[in-house]
Amino acid sequence: QQQVKQSPQSLIVQKGGISIINCAYENTAFDYFPWYQQFPGKGPALLIAIRPDVSEKKEGRFTISFNKSAKQFSLHIMDSQPGDSATYFCAASMLGWDSNYQLIWGAGTKLIIKP
Amino acid sequence: DAGVIQSPRHEVTEMGQEVTLRCKPISGHNSLFWYRQTMMRGLELLIYFNNNVPIDDSGMPEDRFSAKMPNASFSTLKIQPSEPRDSAVYFCASSPDRLTYEQYFGPGTRLTVT
């Protein structure tokens, strides 16, 4: 119930195309769903996040779509650029037994944008 | 503003040696996390601290791993003795407090145990 399942494991998209990464969860107690972006040799960095009371959030070319009933959320990258090539992690957060918020991480998706 | 600082950035050591990884969180952040990243297992939370107190160390793989946070600006992750399967990138992350979702990651330490 604590897992976040992420797919695909890797993705190749042509420049200018739409990149879509999907995540699914089971625990309805999750109340925050961030996406992190990691470039080679760097640590992950927060890209965009959504709460379950909103179905969509857009920041520039990046959009999170959230389907509460299906317990799924996805990241869409519009007009994908070579600079978007990175590993993307979805995550889910909830208040833990210790009154601390913990992040439950997806396995990551390696995205390659071909010029 | 300085981000999370980790040292060393790269460490190569022989099996059986002691390894100490260091982390300086962002000033004013009260929560600190240690992660390990490998191709096989992805990003794993090893331990986290809140106000310098270890809260959950259930992710620490074995007794060979230990972590300390003697003050608000410094933490160490120690592996003794190290083994080849410990080879990974180790990340430290900090967060303003236990109720803040966002975590700020350091650049990581790439550990290779031969």
Side-chain angles (χ1 to χ4, degrees):
Chain A
Q1 271 224 329
Q2 288 290 81
Q3 282 186 323
V4 175
K5 295 182 180 180
Q6 184 172 346
S7 63
Q9 190 174 16
S10 61
L11 181 62
I12 299 175
V13 175
Q14 288 293 130
K15 178 183 174 182
I18 303 173
S19 303
I20 302 175
I21 304 170
N22 300 300
C23 285
Y25 64 97
E26 287 295 324
N27 193 336
T28 55
F30 289 137
D31 61 359
Y32 175 74
F33 300 87
W35 285 88
Y36 279 73
Q37 180 188 53
Q38 184 182 26
F39 292 108
K42 305 288 187 182
L46 179 65
L47 180 65
I48 186 173
I50 197 169
R51 293 188 181 273
D53 54 348
V54 177
S55 61
E56 185 176 280
K57 183 173 182 180
K58 185 175 182 180
E59 291 185 1
R61 296 182 294 108
F62 299 89
T63 300
I64 299 179
S65 296
F66 189 83
N67 186 329
K68 191 173 182 178
S69 60
K71 290 186 281 188
Q72 296 175 346
F73 59 109
S74 59
L75 176 69
H76 296 239
I77 306 174
M78 311 300 288
D79 186 27
S80 300
Q81 299 296 311
D84 298 330
S85 296
T87 299
Y88 292 82
F89 293 92
C90 64
S93 184
M94 59 180 286
L95 195 62
W97 58 268
D98 52 5
S99 298
N100 285 272
Y101 274 103
Q102 302 180 37
L103 283 176
I104 310 300
W105 296 85
T109 296
K110 185 172 183 179
L111 174 64
I112 297 173
I113 307 300
K114 298 189 80 172
Chain B
D1 287 341
V4 175
I5 298 172
Q6 291 187 247
S7 64
R9 293 295 312 277
H10 301 273
E11 177 81 31
V12 180
T13 191
E14 292 183 348
M15 182 175 64
Q17 296 298 306
E18 177 180 295
V19 175
T20 299
L21 311 181
R22 297 172 176 79
C23 174
K24 177 179 170 55
I26 293 173
S27 177
H29 282 196
N30 295 324
S31 295
L32 183 138
F33 307 82
W34 281 101
Y35 288 91
R36 178 172 68 176
Q37 186 175 40
T38 61
M39 289 293 292
M40 290 296 293
R41 301 175 68 89
L43 200 59
E44 301 174 275
L45 177 63
L46 301 178
I47 184 172
Y48 68 93
F49 296 81
N50 193 46
N51 291 323
N52 312 337
V53 176
I55 302 300
D56 186 354
D57 65 354
S58 60
M60 297 285 260
E62 302 170 33
D63 291 344
R64 298 184 296 107
F65 286 70
S66 63
K68 293 182 180 179
M69 193 165 185
N71 57 62
S73 59
F74 184 66
S75 177
T76 60
L77 178 67
K78 185 176 293 186
I79 308 173
Q80 165 65 16
S82 58
E83 296 182 4
R85 59 193 168 120
D86 301 330
S87 297
V89 181
Y90 291 81
F91 288 102
C92 175
S94 70
S95 182
D97 55 60
R98 63 180 181 86
L99 296 180
T100 299
Y101 300 111
E102 183 171 0
Q103 296 180 14
Y104 298 77
F105 282 75
T109 294
R110 180 173 294 276
L111 173 65
T112 302
V113 183
T114 61

